[in-house]
Amino acid sequence: MTGKIMKGIAGFYYVYVSGYGLFECKAKGVFRKKGIKPLVGDLVEIAVIDEQEMTGNIEDILPRKNELIRPAVSNIDMALIIFAMAKPDPNLNLLDRFLIMMEFQNLPVTICLNKADLADEEACEYFRRIYEPAGYRIIFCSAKEQSGINELKELISHKTVAVAGPSGVGKSSLVNLLQSKEVMETGSISEKLKRGKHTTRHSQILPVSDETFIVDTPGFSSLDVPGMEKEDLWRYYPEFVPYEPECRFQGCSHINEPKCGIKTAVEEGNIPLERYDNYKLLFEELRQIRKY
Ligand code: GDP
């Protein structure tokens, strides 16, 4: 049978098999010899040991589509970044950090703005002006009024989604609304996944409906991840990319150089100033990190 690893803990892997539920599996020694370790998110072939007890062995790992650093999971299809329109007020510098981390890891991103019940049309327009030039889709929703939930369900259907966002914005409330009861009841998945929850900091995937999965992404307090260089930062701003060939100087940092295509685009209103200002702050931050 083929399943997906939801969680790994103390040498056991919890593998979700659609229609059956969660199997507690061990990985056979052959992986150790090959030097590969099963990862949360992996699609695996399992051999059932005991159908009643729902135990098995992982026999094979299917080729990975991708492998993320944060969280350490494989086969992620997209990222959903959740912020609130108010309570807490959105911090755009933090939102840009999340976006950069997702662009850096090559994931398509959608921005979800929850607590839309606390905001007016003007506030929505503000976000559209800043984030639509980059091509980001924005979904406004409210867990409280249950608006926008179908749009979210449609977006994530049949995907494995990395969910990120600060605390208090309504992530748990939204995930609860997205979860289908049928899936959580098969083979008492919720009970098994809860086991040992507080003893591990490892990633864990949650099945929300058949073939749809969610994984929590820890916060990024720093952009200090291997491979993130200040010289490449502009590449993670999709709306900057078309203007970069217009820069006069090779290796332009888009900060102090004259005849910079990106600065011109900001002046002409083609790149939102809010995004460019954050770019400058994050560039400086990366410079400080790499100094030492
Ligand atoms: P998390 O920390 O991101 O998981 O946030 P929670 O789901 O725990 O929600 C934080 C608080 O915001 C709770 O008091 C929720 O009741 C409240 N909340 C969640 N969604 C909404 C919403 O759409 N509108 C309003 N007004 N409050 C919400």
Side-chain angles (χ1 to χ4, degrees), residues 6-183:
M6 298 288 110
K7 174 175 164 174
I9 183 170
F12 286 100
Y13 295 94
Y14 293 85
V15 178
Y16 176 72
V17 181
S18 174
Y20 288 88
L22 213 55
F23 283 84
E24 188 177 80
C25 298
K26 284 220 154 212
K28 300 204 311 188
V30 7
F31 293 114
R32 237 164 292 146
K33 272 186 226 133
K34 284 191 201 157
I36 6 169
K37 234 183 124 190
L39 254 186
V40 169
D42 277 347
L43 288 170
V44 291
E45 278 301 332
I46 65 164
V48 175
I49 297 172
D50 186 325
E51 202 162 326
Q52 225 57 38
E53 294 282 312
M54 299 192 76
T55 52
N57 272 326
I58 296 179
E59 309 244 286
D60 200 8
I61 304 174
L62 276 57
R64 289 173 187 152
K65 174 182 164 178
N66 58 23
E67 220 180 296
L68 302 198
I69 337 168
R70 290 194 205 170
V73 291
S74 64
N75 299 321
I76 297 291
D77 298 303
M78 63 165 290
L80 186 68
I81 301 189
I82 307 181
F83 272 68
M85 295 294 289
K87 294 191 180 174
D89 278 341
N91 172 339
L92 298 197
N93 183 282
L94 191 60
L95 174 53
D96 285 359
R97 281 168 200 270
F98 279 111
L99 293 170
I100 288 164
M101 282 304 301
M102 299 309 173
E103 294 289 344
F104 175 67
Q105 303 189 87
N106 242 328
L107 287 182
V109 194
T110 296
I111 300 173
C112 169
L113 292 168
N114 188 38
K115 308 201 187 185
D117 54 287
L118 301 178
D120 55 14
E121 182 51 35
E122 201 181 322
C124 298
E125 199 41 53
Y126 173 76
F127 277 100
R128 286 192 200 103
R129 177 178 65 74
I130 298 175
Y131 290 99
E132 280 182 354
Y136 294 125
R137 177 171 170 196
I138 306 177
I139 294 181
F140 296 98
C141 67
S142 165
K144 187 179 175 190
E145 296 183 338
Q146 304 209 3
S147 64
I149 305 303
N150 283 339
E151 199 180 341
L152 279 175
K153 276 189 183 161
E154 223 166 85
L155 172 80
I156 68 173
S157 168
H158 289 79
K159 296 191 177 100
T160 299
V161 183
V163 171
S167 65
V169 298
K171 289 190 302 295
S172 339
S173 312
L174 285 172
V175 169
N176 277 340
L177 289 172
L178 294 170
Q179 234 160 19
S180 85
K181 287 210 172 55
E182 296 75 35
V183 162

